[in-house]
Each structure stands twice: as C-alpha cells, then as structure tokens.
Amino acid sequence: MPSVAVKLYSVFFKFLLKHRLQTRFQTLINDNNNLDHFGVSTRPDESIAAANPSFVEGVATKDIHIDPFTSLSIRIFIPDTCLAVPQQFKSKAKGLIRSESGFGSSEDPSRRNSYDPSSVMSKRDDSNRRNSYACVGNDDSSSKLKSEKGESYQGYLPSGSENCRKLPVMLQFHGGGFVSGSSDSVANDLFCRRIAKLCDVIVVAVGYRLAPENRFPDAFEDGMKVLHWLAKQANLAECSKSMGNVRGGVELRKGEVQRHVADAFGASSMVEPWLAAHGDPARCVLLGVSCGANIADYVARKSVEAGRLLDPVKVVAQVLMYPFFIGSVPTHSEIKLANSYFYDKAMCILAWKLCLPEEEFSLDHPAANPLVPDRGPPLKRMPPTLTVVAEHDWMRDRAIAYSEELRKVNVDAPVLEYKDAVHEFATLDMLLKTPQAQACAEDIAIWVKKYISLRGHEFSY
C-alpha cells in the first residue's frame, strides 16, 4: 500500500484539483465566449522552472514559442553528451552481450512486473550507459566544446556531418487532465532532465494549449504541429548546410547562412541551432504522461497516416505512462479503484467534460477510449509501444487491454506495472525523487534504447 505521506498528500491534492476543475467548469458555463483560439499553455498558479542554456546537472534548456498564432510553445532539453565523442565508438564494436534477465532486477521491490517479458541485453557500467550512439568526429572539436560546457551553450550550425554528434529526439507531453500542468513546470522540468540524461536524447517538451479555453482537438493538433515543425527544422538545417558549402571559392559564415535561410523561407523559419547541430529526427520517440499519453497516441496514429509526408521525421516508438483512457463500460479496476489516489474517476470525467466539445462528449470518444471501432489506422501499423501502469490506478486495466490488442497484431507492446504505485507516481512533484520514480525512468530508458540506438550499438549501454 502507498505510504501515509502519499495518502495524506493525495487528500490535499484531490481537494485542490476538485476546486480548480469546478471553478473552471462554472466559469465556462457563465461565459459562453470563453473559448480563446490563442489559448494558454501555463496556469498562473503553476510553479515554473526558468530555462537555462547552461549545462546544469548535465542538461541545458531553452524555451521557444513556435506558433505566432497560438500559445503553443516547447522547451528543449539537451544533454551535455551531445558535445562528446565516446571513445568506444572510435574502434569497431567488439560484440553484443546478451542477458535473459528482462527489465532490471526482479529482486528490486520498487520495480514493476511485466506483462510481456522478453529477453533484453544487460546493462553495463553507468559510464558507458548513455553513450549508445555511434558518431564520428575529432578530439579537438569535441574537447573545445566540452571546455565550454560551464558557459551558456548557444549551439552552432554544422557545416558537415563530421564534428557533430546526433541524438534522437523525444517529444514529451505533460499530464494535468488537459486543464493544468505545463512543459516548463518544476516537476516536468525535473522529469524531462532525468529522461534526457538516462535515454541520451534531446527532449522536446510540448506546451500544448489547455482546456477549457481550447477544447478537443486543439491540444492534440498542437502535438502534430510540433512534429511538422521538427520536420521543417530538419529540412532547413539541410538547406543551411548546402548554402554553407563553398560557392565560387567563398564559404558563407554562420550568420550569413542564417540570414539567407530566413530570406528564403521567412523570419519564422530561422534554423534552431540545437536541433540542427544535434537532432536526429529519423529517430523520434513520443512520450506521454497521463492525458499527455492520449495526445502521444493520437500523434502516433496521425504520423502513421501521414507516412512520408513527415520526412525526415520518423516515429520509431512511443511510451504511454499511465494513459488517461476511459470508456462507457467500466473495467474491473474502474469499479474497484474508482475513488483511488490523486485522480479519482469522478474528477477525470469532469476533466473530459472540460476537454471535449459539449456536442461530442462521450466516454467512448476516440480520444478517450483507444479500443472503439474504426478508430484508425489499423493497430498493426502502430509503432512499438511501452505502457507504464500503477497498481493503485483505476485507469490501469484499459491501458493493459490496449497493449494486449497491440500485441495481438505483433506490435512490440510490453506493459510495466509498478507495485504499490499510484497514478503519476513517477512524474508528480512529491514523488519524483522516490526510488520507484527513478527505477521507472531507468526501465523506460532500457526499452527505448532498443529503437533509438544505431545499428550495431543497440545494446552497448
């Protein structure tokens, strides 16, 4: 069972959440013109962590407002490993080490049970753990960049593929019942830093528009906008490299390249240097927390439907952390745990009423229930999907059922269930520093690296 401190904090949390939801619901009733296309992505009562372009605890951050017509914004988390060229990749990999132990140690009570145990490679020592991507470069450029890690990292535009370490890109969608939370909150900032370091990826936390100011599908479409923005950035980076090549014996300087790209595509099309230098959109992972998992799954489905229209972006996997799924026919966990910790069923239904348009409200809406007929596309086309669930979460059974349906069509879709855990046990501010939250992040990193590591180095961590 959860500790006494967790139970007490849950009572306080539910009281505040219920008050906020009811206040917004009442405001919506009193003001029929409450809908705002521009919207908000952060509430005034949210504790915010300021962005810092210096490598604080190994991660630098930057905020970007990517859509001038809405409040949609992102926070980029880039680990300092992007500046290093791992020594082990200067020589040929000596082989793969296999293990039949599964995810982590089964003796650790803080870890989860898996509904889909499979053989994975054993982890090596922590010094090699986050260096799982092959790259080329020279010691001089890498050491120069590493010497500047203590200063503000401004990024650079690469003139070629050498001297540049490419990292996968992970789109992260925060939780909050569609009506609260933000990409730059203190809790989300800490969680994304942890994931960026453990997975050795560039995390792009999406500040989508919140309900009820913006109802479905605004927050979901914001996720697709960010995916298209990533594709645009990758194409602009290619343009900048080609324009930076020698023309008539004269090589354009970085500033000139940026100006030429802006002249050709407009001021809003300036190349984002962190992504241009270090992002590999061909290895894109989606990670959603609670209601963010619903958005991640929507983006995954739309990316499958878009196909090559998103080139060079390719979604190779997704992680759904205690997804905010629901349905009209209650599951066993919905009956037994309807009044569970932090997010009970009554409050979640109210959150869905604030999110979905009044004329479309249904617990079997495609955004709420992943197993409704004709949801599209066929499940067999979905990317590999890791699902994280908590033992004391009333939404767990529906998430497990969705994972089972994916496995029926041969999609890699394991479920990690954590004992004595509650909804948002690995991302809630109070629980972020617990051993169980750390174990969850490590387990996610182990699974994700199967799909983001370069061929021949999949299990070198």
Side-chain angles (χ1 to χ4, degrees), residues 123-387:
K123 293 185 287 185
R124 294 185 181 180
D125 62 276
D126 190 62
S127 62
N128 292 331
R129 180 177 186 175
R130 293 189 293 274
N131 296 330
S132 56
Y133 314 104
C135 56
V136 292
N138 57 59
D139 291 334
D140 293 337
S141 61
S142 299
S143 60
K144 180 185 288 186
L145 289 169
K146 289 190 72 173
S147 68
E148 298 173 353
K149 286 198 298 184
E151 303 174 3
S152 178
Y153 177 59
Q154 299 301 326
Y156 63 97
L157 286 175
S159 59
S161 59
E162 68 275 6
N163 307 331
C164 174
R165 181 157 188 254
K166 294 289 188 178
L167 299 180
V169 178
M170 177 180 285
L171 261 61
Q172 188 264 356
F173 302 92
H174 65 80
F178 298 110
V179 298
S180 61
S182 69
S183 60
D184 52 3
S185 68
V186 173
N188 200 67
D189 185 85
L190 178 57
F191 173 72
C192 289
R193 286 176 176 274
R194 175 178 291 168
I195 290 295
K197 288 190 289 186
L198 289 175
C199 295
D200 200 16
V201 297
I202 297 175
V203 175
V204 177
V206 181
Y208 55 85
R209 289 171 290 173
L210 302 176
E213 291 85 353
N214 292 93
R215 303 232 188 182
F216 178 88
D218 289 354
F220 293 76
E221 289 299 327
D222 284 349
M224 279 305 297
K225 285 182 182 179
V226 176
L227 206 60
H228 283 288
W229 180 82
L230 282 177
K232 181 179 181 180
Q233 286 297 314
N235 290 323
L236 286 174
E238 287 299 317
C239 290
S240 70
K241 286 195 291 185
S242 62
M243 297 176 77
N245 290 335
V246 177
R247 292 184 178 178
V250 178
E251 184 173 352
L252 295 178
R253 294 189 298 273
K254 180 178 73 172
E256 292 175 332
V257 171
Q258 287 180 320
R259 186 179 70 250
H260 279 283
V261 173
D263 290 342
F265 295 93
S268 63
S269 298
M270 292 292 290
V271 178
E272 165 47 48
W274 289 14
L275 294 176
H278 303 295
D280 181 2
R283 293 180 288 161
C284 181
V285 178
L286 307 177
L287 185 150
V289 176
S290 189
C291 67
N294 295 53
I295 299 176
D297 191 60
Y298 174 91
V299 173
R301 289 189 286 117
K302 291 299 183 181
S303 68
V304 169
E305 293 174 352
R308 299 191 63 179
L309 293 177
L310 283 172
D311 283 351
V313 173
K314 182 178 180 182
V315 175
V316 297
Q318 68 170 338
V319 180
L320 308 180
M321 299 183 69
Y322 19 83
F324 208 60
F325 294 151
I326 197 171
S328 59
V329 180
T331 63
H332 177 71
S333 64
E334 289 176 2
I335 296 173
K336 182 180 178 181
L337 302 169
N339 195 34
S340 58
Y341 305 98
F342 294 102
Y343 293 89
D344 60 39
K345 186 174 181 179
M347 285 193 297
C348 291
I349 292 176
L350 182 56
W352 276 112
K353 287 183 178 179
L354 291 169
C355 174
L356 296 174
E358 185 175 353
E359 63 277 7
E360 295 183 25
F361 176 74
S362 169
L363 295 183
D364 285 327
H365 190 283
N369 189 345
L371 296 178
V372 293
D374 303 323
R375 189 168 181 251
L379 291 181
K380 64 181 180 181
R381 297 176 57 193
M382 291 294 286
T385 302
L386 173 67
T387 303

Side-chain angles (χ1 to χ4, degrees), residues 57-136:
E57 297 182 351
V59 179
T61 58
K62 176 195 295 188
D63 290 333
I64 305 176
H65 182 204
I66 67 172
D67 185 0
F69 302 106
T70 70
S71 61
L72 174 61
S73 61
I74 61 171
R75 171 165 288 188
I76 301 178
F77 297 79
I78 185 169
D80 59 6
T81 52
C82 70
L83 306 180
V85 179
Q87 292 292 328
Q88 64 265 39
F89 295 121
K90 293 185 179 180
S91 59
K92 185 177 180 181
K94 294 183 179 180
L96 305 177
I97 298 179
R98 295 186 175 273
S99 170
E100 302 297 331
S101 60
F103 292 99
S105 171
S106 59
E107 298 178 357
D108 187 349
S110 69
R111 293 194 184 265
R112 73 291 161 283
N113 299 322
S114 175
Y115 281 77
D116 187 31
S118 58
S119 61
V120 298
M121 304 307 173
S122 62
K123 293 185 287 185
R124 294 185 181 180
D125 62 276
D126 190 62
S127 62
N128 292 331
R129 180 177 186 175
R130 293 189 293 274
N131 296 330
S132 56
Y133 314 104
C135 56
V136 292

Side-chain angles (χ1 to χ4, degrees), residues 386-403:
L386 173 67
T387 303
V388 175
V389 296
E391 181 182 11
H392 299 290
D393 182 7
W394 67 267
M395 293 175 257
R396 61 182 291 276
D397 281 1
R398 203 170 301 274
I400 293 172
Y402 181 44
S403 181

